[in-house]
Amino acid sequence: WSPELSSDLYRIDGWGAPYFTVNSSGDISVRPHGTDTLPHQEIDLLKVVKKASDPINSGGLGLQLPLVVRFPDVLKNRLESLQSAFDYAVQSEGYEAHYQGVYPVKCNQDRFVVEDIVKFGSGFRFGLEAGSKPELLLAMSSLCKGSSEGLLVCNGFKDAEYISLALVARKLQLNTVIVLEQEEELDLVIDISRKMAVQPVIGLRAKLRTKHSGHFGSTSGEKGKFGLTTTQILRVVRKLKESGMLDCLQLLHFHIGSQIPSTELLADGVGEAAQVYSELVRLGAGMKFIDIGGGLGIDYDGTKSSDSDVSVGYGLQDYASTVVQAVRFVCDRKNVKHPVICSESGRAIVSHHSVLIFEAVSSTTTRSQELSSMSLHSFVEKLNDDARGDYRNLSAAAIRGEYDTCMLYADQLKQRCVDQFKDGNLDIEQLAAVDAVCDFVSKAIGAS
């Protein structure tokens, strides 16, 4: 056995790069600075666990499993990588505004995580997004120590107390934007801002037609539960104009869904939103920001597939370039000044930086049933004609050495027998026998 075989077996270079690898001792190793990590900076995770869990009298910390181990340097690297990707896209595309990110507090509300993000992101105007009153209080207290240009984006359902709190944040010189998700919220914003004598900055969440059909796309699209339709957007614009507050409308927000699988879908959604943004400019709103929401995906299984809920078919740079290109194309065609681009990436920022470690309390092994030629003959005799045909084809493919074909017929044979069992035409011994046949075939040809 070797570290290389371990890395291959667990696909670490697929899901873990550039932060996790297998070191020469065969242990999981953390590379806190990504590709810039020097050999002496790598952290052996097994040594960390031993130090944490060993008794205090042995020099350990005496902690019990399970443990969550955090790597703030990974968090810092993720922020810098995201900013760097957008900076490169802005420069290479000739985009005439900048990018500034916003971290959605709901993704991980741990105080140290939020404070680290504010600290690490203060050099490039990184802000926070809140979706509730407790999150807003947390974000306000953290952002007081961050960049004065960092946005405090207020999403979620808003009652009078929430809106009052957001306007207090504006009084505290925080760069607060109240994003309308329901049409009736506008009346509260207008009324309370006048009573508090605070000029609000308002955003609105558009309910786009673009959505993705995966597990994480259920809240997006025309029938999604969040955001304003085009009709509602026009009513909001008209009401703001009548109130002399159209210049307060400065941000357009949308969300296609988490784990956006492909850049094609991303470009479609961002392009549609850029059209809405351009129309708001035409209608006289004081637009400055386009907030593309979340959706920057994580390749959890390392397959780089756009057909999976747990993978994505693009990297950071692809994502950033697609967004910048889509916004620039529409704005140039409409002769609209390029807006500041914001995103609300959560999982893409924090997912890599913490590891849950727990103790394995038991294990199981799979032992295949041994088949004699007599029991095998008895098993085949009870199969229906289609299943018997699959078995004959399987045998013939095995003799010819056509291993892929073997697996195809083995799968078909198993499915036919499962169907027979469900119909009551196959007993449990026979079902166990077909499992044994398929296991034997898999082991014989080395399939997983």
Side-chain angles (χ1 to χ4, degrees):
W1 197 253
S2 69
E4 290 75 20
L5 289 172
S6 283
S7 181
D8 184 57
L9 176 64
Y10 296 106
R11 303 187 68 158
I12 289 175
D13 290 338
W15 57 260
Y19 301 108
F20 299 93
T21 187
V22 177
N23 62 25
S24 57
S25 302
D27 300 334
I28 287 282
S29 187
V30 180
R31 308 178 72 204
H33 309 293
T35 54
D36 295 329
T37 306
L38 299 175
H40 72 276
Q41 294 174 319
E42 289 193 8
I43 301 167
D44 189 317
L45 201 53
L46 184 60
K47 290 180 180 177
V48 172
V49 175
K50 282 184 65 63
K51 176 71 175 175
S53 58
D54 280 353
I56 294 174
N57 57 18
S58 302
L61 299 178
L63 301 176
Q64 299 230 329
L65 296 174
L67 296 170
V68 174
V69 183
R70 292 180 50 246
F71 299 94
D73 285 326
V74 173
L75 204 59
K76 184 172 185 281
N77 186 267
R78 290 304 291 171
L79 283 168
E80 291 171 347
S81 299
L82 180 62
Q83 185 70 38
S84 177
F86 271 99
D87 286 348
Y88 179 82
V90 163
Q91 187 175 4
S92 60
E93 291 294 325
Y95 194 79
E96 295 170 0
H98 64 268
Y99 164 81
Q100 57 184 90
V102 171
Y103 170 67
V105 172
K106 66 175 176 285
C107 208
N108 188 328
Q109 301 102 330
D110 186 285
R111 170 190 162 190
F112 298 105
V113 172
V114 177
E115 288 180 349
D116 278 347
I117 287 172
V118 170
K119 180 175 70 175
F120 298 145
S122 62
F124 29 82
R125 314 179 186 93
F126 221 87
L128 298 174
E129 180 266 348
S132 66
K133 282 174 276 191
E135 287 179 6
L136 180 52
L137 285 166
L138 189 159
M140 287 168 64
S141 65
S142 300
L143 270 182
C144 284
K145 302 168 190 170
S147 168
S148 60
E149 295 180 70
L151 289 172
L152 173 52
V153 177
C154 301
N155 288 330
F157 174 78
K158 298 168 198 69
D159 57 11
E161 194 175 29
Y162 186 128
I163 291 166
S164 299
L165 192 57
L167 292 170
V168 167
R170 189 127 194 99
K171 274 191 172 184
L172 293 172
Q173 305 299 308
L174 294 174
N175 197 5
T176 312
V177 183
I178 300 173
V179 178
L180 306 177
E181 301 215 25
Q182 298 186 45
E183 192 178 353
E184 55 267 28
E185 292 171 354
L186 178 59
D187 292 327
L188 281 173
V189 172
I190 293 172
D191 183 45
I192 296 171
S193 64
R194 284 175 175 168
K195 286 177 181 176
M196 293 179 64
V198 178
Q199 182 85 337
V201 173
I202 298 171
L204 57 83
R205 178 169 176 171
K207 191 180 288 189
L208 301 184
R209 268 68 168 182
T210 305
K211 66 171 292 182
H212 76 79
S213 56
H215 169 73
F216 294 102
S218 59
T219 58
S220 62
E222 193 175 2
K223 297 190 186 302
K225 63 181 86 167
F226 304 114
L228 306 177
T229 65
T230 51
T231 303
Q232 291 173 318
I233 289 171
L234 288 174
R235 284 203 293 261
V236 166
V237 169
R238 187 165 59 248
K239 188 171 289 188
L240 283 170
K241 191 172 184 179
E242 290 168 355
S243 303
M245 296 175 63
L246 191 52
D247 60 324
C248 296
L249 180 56
Q250 297 182 13
L251 180 144
L252 175 71
H253 170 52
F254 66 95
H255 181 63
I256 302 171
S258 297
Q259 282 287 110
I260 296 172
S262 68
T263 53
E264 290 79 16
L265 178 65
L266 177 66
D268 191 27
V270 174
E272 181 187 349
Q275 295 286 358
V276 177
Y277 180 93
S278 299
E279 288 299 295
L280 290 171
V281 172
R282 181 181 65 82
L283 293 170
M287 302 301 292
K288 294 180 181 177
F289 305 93
I290 185 166
D291 180 351
I292 64 173
L296 172 53
I298 292 294
D299 192 1
Y300 288 106
D301 63 4
T303 60
K304 294 182 171 52
S305 167
S306 58
D307 299 321
S308 168
D309 285 332
V310 293
S311 182
V312 290
Y314 55 84
L316 265 183
Q317 193 58 64
D318 300 323
Y319 177 86
S321 296
T322 299
V323 171
V324 173
Q325 286 170 11
V327 177
R328 182 185 62 79
F329 177 77
V330 173
C331 289
D332 286 353
R333 196 171 62 178
K334 295 276 191 174
N335 199 27
V336 167
K337 182 180 178 182
H338 295 172
V340 173
I341 296 174
C342 307
S343 72
E344 299 178 6
S345 298
R347 73 177 70 221
I349 290 175
V350 299
S351 292
H352 301 85
H353 102 287
S354 62
V355 180
L356 172 65
I357 298 166
F358 54 91
E359 198 168 10
V361 293
S362 67
S363 64
T364 59
T365 57
T366 305
R367 293 192 308 192
S368 299
Q369 176 186 335
E370 296 295 326
L371 279 176
S372 67
S373 58
M374 188 170 295
S375 62
L376 187 60
H377 178 75
S378 171
F379 155 68
V380 174
E381 285 298 310
K382 287 195 176 183
L383 298 177
N384 64 22
D385 291 342
D386 288 336
R388 202 176 292 129
D390 285 332
Y391 181 81
R392 283 195 295 267
N393 289 332
L394 169 60
S395 301
I399 292 169
R400 294 194 300 270
E402 297 172 354
Y403 297 145
D404 288 343
T405 308
C406 272
M407 288 307 300
L408 176 67
Y409 286 124
D411 288 342
Q412 285 185 7
L413 174 63
K414 179 178 272 194
Q415 189 55 53
R416 289 191 202 278
C417 290
V418 168
D419 292 341
Q420 265 190 283
F421 179 75
K422 287 179 179 178
D423 291 337
N425 298 322
L426 199 71
D427 58 40
I428 195 166
E429 292 88 353
Q430 297 299 313
L431 189 62
V434 75
D435 286 339
V437 169
C438 293
D439 286 347
F440 174 79
V441 170
S442 295
K443 285 182 180 176
I445 67 176
S448 59

